[in-house]
Amino acid sequence: MTSTNLKITIDGSTGSAAPYEQLRAQIADRARSGKLPAGFKLPTVRGLAEELGLAANTVAKAYRALEADGVIETRGRNGTFVAAAEGASREAAAAAQAFAERAHRLGLTEAEALSAAAEALRARYAAD
């Protein structure tokens, strides 16, 4: 199943990721790479579901996850759009600030906190 507008392909074979996760990951990757620029209007949930042969709830679940991650934004009746990159940067900065506060409360030195963060990032990105 492929979306002609977004060039999204859903692999329905056994062992592949859940369809909503495939959709979420592909839209997120295209938004990060600029292939879907900020302000790009996404299809409606129903429209994309029909185009991909998926249930509307599957597309809605992917859109909710993308919105929670700051990748897309819903503007009421105007539709759903790719969010400005600042959204993800803002959220990452807030998470970093929360980590810094927590590390300080735990009594870690700056070097220890940086080491813990670097180790967590290496482990997470190595898993991709």
Side-chain angles (χ1 to χ4, degrees), residues 93-114:
Q97 181 63 39
F99 169 77
E101 292 296 327
R102 180 76 175 143
H104 187 262
R105 279 195 307 273
L106 291 170
L108 297 178
T109 66
E110 183 178 344
E112 290 168 332
L114 283 170

Side-chain angles (χ1 to χ4, degrees), residues 57-82:
N57 284 341
T58 300
V59 175
K61 185 175 183 179
Y63 275 20
R64 282 192 304 272
L66 288 162
E67 191 163 22
D69 291 344
V71 176
I72 64 173
E73 59 188 7
T74 301
R75 300 179 191 162
R77 293 187 174 268
N78 292 323
T80 303
F81 298 83
V82 174

